[in-house]
Amino acid sequence: MAKVVFEQVSKRYENGFVAVNHLNLDIDDREFLVLVGPSGCGKTTTLRMLAGLEDISAGNILIGNTRVNDVSPKDRDIAMVFQSYALYPHMTVFENMAFSLDLKGIPKAEIRQRVQAAAQQLGIEALLDRKPRQLSGGQRQRVAVGRAIVRNPAVFLMDEPLSNLDAKLRVQARAELSKLHQSLGTTFVYVTHDQVEAMTMGTRIAVMNQGVLQQVDRPERVYEAPQNVFVAGFLGSPSMNFLNATLQEENAALVIKTAGLTLPIPESLQGRYRAAPNPAVIFGIRPESIYHPAYLPPGIEPFAVGATVGVVEPMGHERIVYFTLADGQELVARIDPRAQISSGERLDLLFDLKRFHLFERDSEQVL
């Protein structure tokens, strides 16, 4: 068990490309932290620097109280699970899991005990004599995790370990990894571009973009209170709707004006947004905060918006509705599956004005 600290860590390549830029991040002991972001955002580079597989250009990395900038990967007390499981094809499952322990000169009896304990925990005891080619993708993934478990590391590093699994197996594997973290009580640092994995597995998530840490917090907090337009748009499927808008006074009250809408700001939020330094804003609302008038839940503050329905996607538990406003702007809503709605229909959809977001247009930071 160990705390991990990044202090002003940067990675610059010889061609001038900055993969990670002044990263400051504290990962608590026993935490399951997920690094999430689009391809090329710097999350895997961050993990590889922690593992010692990439040199850092500036800053410090600490595992526990030890600065590990110049410590070799094998001496960092970490274990890594890669996207490609990297199993030795000529070795059995037992031999793959035991290999690192054998290199360390650990006694055979202890190796067997560790491997069998990890195999039992992962439900792969019956596979120990098989070769990797005889295993399914899910079984190979468990073997790769087991190979990390037997080392009893201070920190587990995982680089998109579920990306090679099919959708159903990924759901199962997510739950297994979460239970494994709880049972081991060890620090996990997990990299993914999949926001569902990030939201469901992490005790905290760290969102990165273009080498810069955008926000780090509990998953529900990042989702409900994004710090900028990027985070708001990245988390959520379908993503948040955005409209350029301005803040204006009308009849002694502050309103949000878009190209085709005038949205009243609830009285409880008037003071917060009156302090905005710039009236030019971006209005954001999530698809699940837009409702069909026949299926309106209690406790919201509805505002009717005229819409023309485009594509309707029945999902079973909900309907994804793409619609166009009178000014031609396209938005998306997630509505009750009982709503009878068809392409080309004109109706009023209801925005919940208790659940919207405003961002400064120039900086794209939340107000």
Side-chain angles (χ1 to χ4, degrees):
M1 287 84 73
K3 181 176 181 177
V4 175
V5 178
F6 291 84
E7 295 179 344
Q8 290 289 318
V9 172
S10 296
K11 176 62 180 180
R12 297 180 182 86
Y13 292 96
E14 291 181 359
N15 63 3
F17 176 70
V18 180
V20 177
N21 195 11
H22 298 295
L23 174 65
N24 288 297
L25 179 62
D26 288 5
I27 304 169
D28 292 332
D29 182 24
R30 302 173 184 264
E31 181 174 16
F32 195 133
L33 182 109
V34 180
L35 290 166
V36 64
S39 296
C41 73
K43 56 188 185 296
T44 294
T45 302
T46 298
L47 196 74
R48 288 175 63 83
M49 287 191 293
L50 177 55
L53 303 178
E54 292 273 3
D55 293 331
I56 70 173
S57 304
N60 295 301
I61 298 177
L62 291 86
I63 299 177
N65 296 318
T66 304
R67 179 178 178 271
V68 297
N69 292 31
D70 303 314
V71 176
S72 68
K74 67 182 179 63
D75 297 324
R76 293 194 181 197
D77 199 12
I78 55 97
M80 191 162 183
V81 180
F82 296 90
Q83 179 177 349
S84 59
Y85 307 131
L87 302 177
Y88 295 109
H90 63 287
M91 293 183 180
T92 65
V93 167
F94 181 93
E95 290 167 341
N96 266 283
M97 293 174 65
F99 185 67
S100 64
L101 303 181
D102 196 36
L103 285 179
K104 289 185 175 182
I106 292 175
K108 298 292 184 184
E110 184 179 347
I111 291 176
R112 180 165 294 278
Q113 184 274 326
R114 286 201 202 180
V115 170
Q116 289 179 338
Q120 183 177 17
Q121 191 169 21
L122 294 167
I124 56 174
E125 308 102 302
L127 308 178
L128 290 176
D129 294 326
R130 296 189 190 181
K131 299 285 182 66
R133 65 176 179 274
Q134 298 172 296
L135 306 178
S136 68
Q139 289 169 336
R140 292 179 190 180
Q141 185 263 341
R142 291 186 191 184
V143 173
V145 172
R147 184 175 55 187
I149 290 174
V150 297
R151 298 179 59 185
N152 294 328
V155 184
F156 280 92
L157 309 182
M158 298 192 173
D159 187 9
E160 305 201 39
L162 310 185
S163 60
N164 294 330
L165 305 182
D166 61 53
K168 183 177 180 180
L169 198 53
R170 289 179 78 159
V171 173
Q172 179 184 342
R174 286 203 310 264
E176 288 177 352
L177 285 178
S178 295
K179 287 189 287 188
L180 182 64
H181 171 253
Q182 293 169 9
S183 64
L184 293 177
T186 307
T187 307
F188 276 47
V189 184
Y190 186 103
V191 160
T192 183
H193 66 274
D194 187 325
Q195 56 176 286
V196 175
E197 288 182 18
M199 294 292 293
T200 56
M201 297 172 69
T203 50
R204 285 191 306 158
I205 61 176
V207 185
M208 296 186 69
N209 186 38
Q210 297 181 343
V212 178
L213 180 64
Q214 303 291 313
Q215 186 173 355
V216 56
D217 210 329
R218 301 188 316 277
E220 62 273 18
R221 178 67 181 166
V222 176
Y223 188 82
E224 294 291 342
Q227 291 297 300
N228 56 45
V229 169
F230 174 80
V231 174
F234 183 78
L235 292 179
S237 181
S239 64
M240 185 182 290
N241 299 292
F242 296 108
L243 296 171
N244 283 334
T246 56
L247 293 174
Q248 297 183 16
E249 286 275 353
E250 273 193 10
N251 301 320
L254 197 63
V255 299
I256 303 164
K257 290 189 76 75
T258 73
L261 298 173
T262 299
L263 303 166
I265 296 177
E267 186 175 344
S268 60
L269 297 175
Q270 289 276 323
R272 172 181 175 180
Y273 293 123
R274 282 187 187 280
N278 191 328
V281 296
I282 298 172
F283 170 82
I285 187 167
R286 292 205 180 275
E288 61 267 30
S289 297
I290 302 174
Y291 298 90
H292 188 279
Y295 298 97
L296 200 61
I300 75 166
E301 189 157 328
F303 182 82
V305 174
T308 301
V309 177
V311 175
V312 179
E313 297 177 345
M315 302 295 288
H317 64 292
E318 65 185 2
R319 290 180 186 270
I320 305 297
V321 178
Y322 296 86
F323 62 95
T324 306
L325 302 178
D327 60 7
Q329 297 194 79
E330 296 182 351
L331 284 76
V332 59
R334 297 168 62 181
I335 65 173
D336 193 289
R338 296 170 293 176
Q340 298 303 309
I341 190 169
S342 57
S343 180
E345 182 178 346
R346 296 175 62 86
L347 79 165
D348 283 345
L349 292 176
L350 302 174
F351 285 16
D352 180 6
L353 294 187
K354 281 186 177 179
R355 301 187 68 189
F356 68 88
H357 304 265
L358 286 182
F359 306 91
E360 199 173 46
R361 199 183 304 175
D362 290 339
S363 67
E364 298 192 345
Q365 297 297 307
V366 71
L367 290 177

